[in-house]
Amino acid sequence: MALPPSAPSVSPGSGSAASSSSGAARIFSGLLEARTGQILSESRAWRMETALKPVLRAYGLGDMDALASRLMARKDAALENDVVNALLNNESSFFRDFQIFDMIHRHILPHIQAQRSDRTLRIWSAGCSTGQEVYSLAIQLCNDMARWRGWRIEILATDISTAAITQAKAGTFTQMDVQRGLPVSDLLKWFEPSGDDWCANPELRRMIDFRTDNLFDAQAPKGEYDLLLCRNVLLYFTPERRQNVLRLLSRHSHGRSILLLGAGETVIGHSDDFVPHTEFRGGYGRRADATAQPEGAMRRAL
């Protein structure tokens, strides 16, 4: 397991219970950072034990110290993956920040359509979580399909969480999920009851290419995208890693691409390639003099 050198080893029974639990927490935080680049903030660290309870039950372990000892005792890729999945924040909802989706529908997509003579629309959602964001985009496009008839639409959705991507591919959401932001008319039009849950229409699912991918060694994105969404992802990274992710996004954008970040995120101070967009509030465009880095140089930077 690739843990930072500062991550302590855990030996059951050594030290006080508090120091032992603190050591276990540092091991889990170190694993998360090593695998994903994410720094566990205090607001997420306090709920670490709650997040890991399903893992403890699944592996028959009594507490966090036992889990840490199991991780350090032997290589167990499945256990490491389950711990990382449990600690990742997969918070998402349909049409999250509605004003952003309203701007996408009414202004950004028509703007892109007017610019693309090849009738191809390419969208990348980086850090898509369980899929509500890209399903919301697909619903918007399908509801306005007369405008897009004859266009080739490609939607790539990536996330490092294997659990999140598995759920996103299935397109199955709980009643609570669909009540968070999804209009009833769209629910009835684009989802079908599945027991107590709701399953996305196959037409929606076919529009989206869901991939498990790591933003620090990205394999899924190919070429350039017209609209890039990386919302509420950068805030979990160090400033250096934010710069690396923005370089990656720059490499997969073109001169008229539009980048959307989360409400609490900005490119200012982190990227020389993007600047606030002149037309779309909260959006970013490529600098006029920015040039994409060669892939080899980008790989070295990451």
Side-chain angles (χ1 to χ4, degrees), residues 17-28:
S19 63
S20 181
S21 296
S22 176
R26 287 197 296 274
I27 287 172
F28 304 141

Side-chain angles (χ1 to χ4, degrees), residues 37 124 213-219 221 237 240-252 293-302:
W124 176 22
D213 205 18
N214 187 331
L215 286 174
F216 300 104
D217 186 25
Q219 305 296 317
F237 298 140
E240 181 180 2
R241 288 183 180 272
R242 290 173 190 169
Q243 292 172 10
N244 290 339
V245 171
L246 288 167
R247 289 192 194 103
L248 171 71
L249 296 172
S250 174
R251 182 162 64 84
H252 289 289
Q293 294 187 34
E295 184 166 347
M298 185 62 200
R299 292 276 182 213
R300 289 194 295 274
L302 291 179

Side-chain angles (χ1 to χ4, degrees), residues 12 15 43 49 60 94 114 138 140 142 150 153 176 185 195 207 214 229 231-232 237 241 249 256 265 272 283 290:
S43 62
E49 188 168 2
F94 289 97
Q140 284 187 327
C142 285
I153 297 174
M176 183 177 295
S185 58
M207 291 181 67
N214 187 331
L229 301 99
R231 303 172 67 218
N232 305 305
F237 298 140
R241 288 183 180 272
L249 296 172
R256 295 191 293 262
E265 300 169 322
D272 294 327

